[in-house]
Amino acid sequence: MHIPPRVLTVAGSDSGGGAGIQADLKTMLALGTHGMSVLTAVTAQNSLGVQGAWELPAEAVRAQFRSVVDDIGTQAVKTGMLSSAELVETVAELLAGLRVPVVVDPVGVSKHGDALLAATALDAVRGALLPTATVATPNLDEVAQLTGVRVEEEADMRRAAAAILDFGPRWALIKGGHLTAGHASGDSAVDLLTDGTEEHWLRAPRHDNRHTHGTGCTLASALAAQLAKGDTVPQAAAAAKAYVTGALAAGFRLGAGIGPVDHGWRSRGAH
C-alpha cells in the first residue's frame, strides 16, 4: 500500500477557493502528497476581495493541530494566515515541538490589498514564528512590513533576505514578483533563496495574466510538499517555482475581479 507523504497547512479559509487552505490542499494533491489542515480563520472572499473575516479561538487551532499530528503525523508544515498575536504565538509554540520542515508564509495582506494580519501581531511573527521556520517566504510588501526594508530593484533583495534571516529562519525565499517592468527583472519573475551563505536566484518568464490570486499560498505549499517528499531546500524551491509558474500561466477568470492560478494545470495539460 502506497502512503503519500503527509503535509499539514495551518491557515485561513478562502471561500472563493483561490487561496488559503483551499489553494494549499489543491497544491499538495497536485504534487503527490496528502494534505491536512488546521483552520485558523474563515473569510468571506471572492474575486473582488475579502468581505469579512472571523478568527477561530486559539483552543480550536490547538485542538486541530494535536488531533492531526498526534495520530496521523506530518512530514512538513506550511503556515499561512495567522491574523492575531495570540494565534501566531499559539502556532509558534506548537511548531517548536516538531522536528519536520516548516514553511512560514507571513501573510500580511490579500491580493486585493485587504489586511490579513493585525499590526499588533507583527512582533509575534518576528520573535516567535519566524524562528521556527525552515524557510520563510515573504513577498516584497511583507518584507517591508516586517523589516522596513523596501526592495526597489534586484540588488535590494539581498538586503531584504538578510533582514528576514536576522529573525531566525534557516532560509529566506524573497519573492520578487512585485518588481515592475521598469527594472532589470521586468521580463522575468525573480526570487532569491538564501541561507546567508548559499544564494539561489530563481527566474521564470513573467506571464501577462492578471489572474494571480493564490500565488503566495501556492508557492509555500508546493515548497512544503517537496520538502515532505525529501527534497533539499534548494531543490524544493526550484520545483515549487516551476509549479507556480505553470499555475500562473494557466490562471483563469473567475467572477468579476482577479481570478485564481490553476492548481490543476499539469493534469489538464496546460502550459
Side-chain angles (χ1 to χ4, degrees), residues 12 27 39 133 160 164 183 185 197 200 217 229 236 252:
T27 299
L39 205 62
I164 290 292
H183 300 290
S185 61
T197 304
H200 303 268
C217 304
K229 288 155 67 174
F252 52 89

Side-chain angles (χ1 to χ4, degrees), residues 133-216:
T134 307
V135 193
T137 64
N139 64 30
L140 302 187
D141 291 336
E142 290 154 358
V143 165
Q145 190 179 36
L146 289 165
T147 71
V149 173
R150 301 203 171 272
V151 175
E152 304 292 344
E153 54 190 33
E154 261 188 48
D156 297 331
M157 293 175 72
R158 283 194 180 97
R159 196 160 49 92
I164 290 292
L165 288 172
D166 279 346
F167 294 122
R170 285 173 45 204
W171 293 81
L173 178 59
I174 307 299
K175 299 178 292 192
H178 290 181
L179 284 175
T180 62
H183 300 290
S185 61
D187 60 347
S188 65
V190 59
D191 304 330
L192 171 61
L193 173 72
T194 180
D195 63 354
T197 304
E198 287 183 47
E199 259 188 21
H200 303 268
W201 291 89
L202 307 174
R203 300 179 188 276
R206 187 181 293 277
H207 295 284
D208 183 19
N209 183 357
R210 68 187 291 263
H211 301 301
T212 59
H213 186 50
T215 49

Side-chain angles (χ1 to χ4, degrees), residues 42-249:
V42 175
T43 69
Q45 189 172 166
N46 57 25
S47 70
L48 298 173
V50 179
Q51 292 78 44
W54 298 267
E55 181 182 308
L56 268 68
E59 66 179 288
V61 171
R62 189 177 291 108
Q64 292 175 81
F65 186 94
R66 291 265 61 95
S67 180
V68 172
V69 171
D70 292 350
D71 173 45
I72 302 170
T74 187
Q75 287 155 288
V77 179
K78 175 259 179 183
T79 72
M81 178 185 176
L82 305 173
S83 49
S84 68
E86 183 183 17
L87 282 188
V88 171
E89 288 164 358
T90 297
V91 171
E93 179 187 337
L94 291 166
L95 293 175
L98 293 183
R99 295 293 177 265
V100 299
V102 173
V103 178
V104 170
D105 185 15
V107 176
V109 295
S110 76
K111 185 68 69 179
H112 306 88
D114 305 289
L116 299 176
L117 180 71
T120 52
L122 288 173
D123 281 344
V125 172
R126 297 181 189 107
L129 187 62
L130 286 175
T132 70
T134 307
V135 193
T137 64
N139 64 30
L140 302 187
D141 291 336
E142 290 154 358
V143 165
Q145 190 179 36
L146 289 165
T147 71
V149 173
R150 301 203 171 272
V151 175
E152 304 292 344
E153 54 190 33
E154 261 188 48
D156 297 331
M157 293 175 72
R158 283 194 180 97
R159 196 160 49 92
I164 290 292
L165 288 172
D166 279 346
F167 294 122
R170 285 173 45 204
W171 293 81
L173 178 59
I174 307 299
K175 299 178 292 192
H178 290 181
L179 284 175
T180 62
H183 300 290
S185 61
D187 60 347
S188 65
V190 59
D191 304 330
L192 171 61
L193 173 72
T194 180
D195 63 354
T197 304
E198 287 183 47
E199 259 188 21
H200 303 268
W201 291 89
L202 307 174
R203 300 179 188 276
R206 187 181 293 277
H207 295 284
D208 183 19
N209 183 357
R210 68 187 291 263
H211 301 301
T212 59
H213 186 50
T215 49
C217 304
T218 300
L219 181 68
S221 296
L223 187 51
Q226 293 300 132
L227 290 172
K229 288 155 67 174
D231 279 5
T232 64
V233 171
Q235 288 169 339
K241 176 78 168 179
Y243 173 74
V244 79
T245 298
L248 266 165

